Amino acid sequence: GTGGCFGCRRKPPEPEPNVSHLPTPYNVIKERFGHVLSSDTLIKACHFPGLGSPRLKQLIPGAPNFRKTSSTKQVFGSAMPTHKAVHEILKLIETTAGKNQQVHFF
């Protein structure tokens, strides 16, 4: 009959929220104003699902695309590591290159 469930305790599905009153993404970008984000500007999250390259093995959690160059020099790279990952990178460099090495972050 009615699609109901006699004796069931399942809740009916929630109705979809009405979002017709919300501005479109285009209008948000065009009409924003501020010191950091102004009209026609976007902000990109540093970490998002799928950030890491599928070709690189995740060596340090929070340090996407962390890698060592193939040169004989101790040169490493990473995409925007988290605070915790920076400490892990420094520990790895210390064990790999030695304690008294200079480290430069760019």
Side-chain angles (χ1 to χ4, degrees), residues 11-59:
K11 286 182 167 181
E14 295 288 325
E16 291 291 322
N18 182 1
V19 294
S20 62
H21 65 285
L22 297 175
T24 66
Y26 175 82
N27 288 339
V28 168
I29 293 168
K30 281 293 184 196
E31 297 170 5
R32 73 173 55 149
F33 58 93
H35 298 290
V36 177
L37 292 176
S38 58
S39 178
D40 292 322
T41 60
L42 297 172
I43 193 165
K44 179 184 167 202
C46 291
H47 292 266
F48 51 88
L51 170 64
S53 169
R55 295 176 298 138
L56 297 171
K57 181 180 168 192
Q58 174 95 18
L59 297 175

Side-chain angles (χ1 to χ4, degrees), residues 24-100:
T24 66
Y26 175 82
N27 288 339
V28 168
I29 293 168
K30 281 293 184 196
E31 297 170 5
R32 73 173 55 149
F33 58 93
H35 298 290
V36 177
L37 292 176
S38 58
S39 178
D40 292 322
T41 60
L42 297 172
I43 193 165
K44 179 184 167 202
C46 291
H47 292 266
F48 51 88
L51 170 64
S53 169
R55 295 176 298 138
L56 297 171
K57 181 180 168 192
Q58 174 95 18
L59 297 175
I60 298 177
N65 300 336
F66 179 76
R67 66 233 178 249
K68 181 187 179 303
T69 63
S70 58
S71 75
T72 57
K73 300 199 182 259
Q74 297 294 327
V75 178
F76 300 86
S78 177
M80 297 300 285
T82 63
H83 184 262
K84 184 177 180 183
V86 169
H87 289 280
E88 295 302 315
I89 290 170
L90 291 173
K91 280 195 246 178
L92 180 101
I93 291 172
E94 184 178 277
T95 59
T96 305
K99 283 187 177 227
N100 297 322

